[in-house]
Amino acid sequence: MSFPARLIAGYRSFRDSRLPQEQARYRELAERGQSPEIMVIGCCDSRVSPELIFDAGPGELFVVRNVANLVPPYSPDGRHHGVSAALEFGVGVLKVKHIVVLGHAQCGGVRAFADSPGAHSSGDFIGNWMSLMGPAAERVGPRAGRPHAEYLEQLEKASIGNSLANLLTFPRLRAMVERGDLTLHGAYFGVATGKLTVRNPATGRFEDV
Ligand SMILES: [Zn+2]
């Protein structure tokens, strides 16, 4: 069998240790369905797993992950929008109370954009996807004169703000925010330090928690 041995070993460990502790919860979730109150929009990066960072159990987080944790603006054009479909389900059906855009340090997607903004990748998708970062890059301003790592961090954080702004372009979501039924948040995870900071919506700054 070519199924990865690492996954089989990991599953067996889960089955023998964690599952017995959480079996009742899984059964209950299967019967009454999921009702997570928090949706997380995170990066695909293997170092930034929302369930690990927030120590979440089954049924607690509704998670969508994509390259560089980006949210495209509302565009009902009949194309295939994975993030928008997840938002429609999370907000419209599950009625989550919070959406967290979780960015992180050393984001490969952000670095690729910073190294060649506006350029299209050799493949068919990443360059176009990363062009969503354009407004964030404009807000950060020219890169010249700044240490590279500092510029990347500013870009990563500005991009979180841009994704939060794009969330508000979804009419139903915006209406829920205005009614106070839904709150939007930004957070940033330092991969090397393991430190999480949370975006202050008034200042746009990321603060310790
Ligand atoms: Zn990333």
Side-chain angles (χ1 to χ4, degrees):
M1 192 158 75
S2 61
F3 195 76
R6 170 65 188 88
L7 295 186
I8 291 172
Y11 169 70
R12 286 178 178 154
S13 168
F14 162 79
R15 181 191 63 193
D16 297 340
S17 57
R18 188 165 174 177
L19 184 60
Q21 294 168 25
E22 295 187 333
Q23 183 69 74
R25 182 160 173 75
Y26 274 107
R27 286 215 178 91
E28 187 196 339
L29 285 166
E31 276 172 28
R32 67 171 170 81
Q34 62 167 336
S35 53
E37 294 199 342
I38 300 164
M39 176 170 180
V40 178
I41 299 169
C43 182
C44 295
D45 193 303
S46 59
R47 301 165 296 182
V48 191
S49 168
E51 293 88 346
L52 266 179
I53 292 169
F54 296 115
D55 196 21
E60 287 192 292
L61 299 180
F62 185 66
V63 177
V64 59
R65 295 173 74 169
N66 64 54
V67 174
N69 44 271
L70 299 174
V71 176
Y74 179 71
S75 44
D77 53 15
R79 298 191 181 210
H80 305 104
H81 294 287
V83 179
S84 307
L87 282 169
E88 190 171 288
F89 191 74
V91 171
V93 179
L94 298 175
K95 300 200 173 1
V96 296
K97 298 197 170 6
H98 302 272
I99 298 178
V100 178
V101 176
L102 175 64
H104 70 100
Q106 284 92 39
C107 184
V110 172
R111 187 184 308 157
F113 176 85
D115 288 346
S116 50
H120 280 263
S121 59
S122 54
D124 294 330
F125 301 108
I126 292 180
N128 187 42
W129 177 248
M130 293 310 300
S131 70
L132 287 168
M133 284 199 57
E138 270 180 39
R139 201 166 315 126
V140 168
R143 173 179 168 176
R146 285 185 238 202
H148 193 44
E150 187 184 306
Y151 175 73
L152 289 177
E153 183 174 335
Q154 287 174 341
L155 201 52
E156 285 156 355
K157 290 179 172 173
S159 178
I160 294 169
N162 191 52
S163 284
L164 291 169
N166 282 348
L167 282 172
L168 290 173
T169 64
F170 288 74
R172 186 171 188 173
L173 195 156
R174 186 184 189 99
M176 288 180 72
V177 169
E178 286 170 349
R179 281 202 304 271
D181 293 337
L182 175 66
T183 312
L184 308 184
H185 312 270
Y188 182 83
F189 182 69
V191 172
T193 60
K195 183 174 164 182
L196 185 84
T197 51
V198 169
R199 186 177 184 273
N200 180 329
T203 63
R205 291 181 166 276
F206 286 75
E207 300 171 352
D208 292 353
V209 288

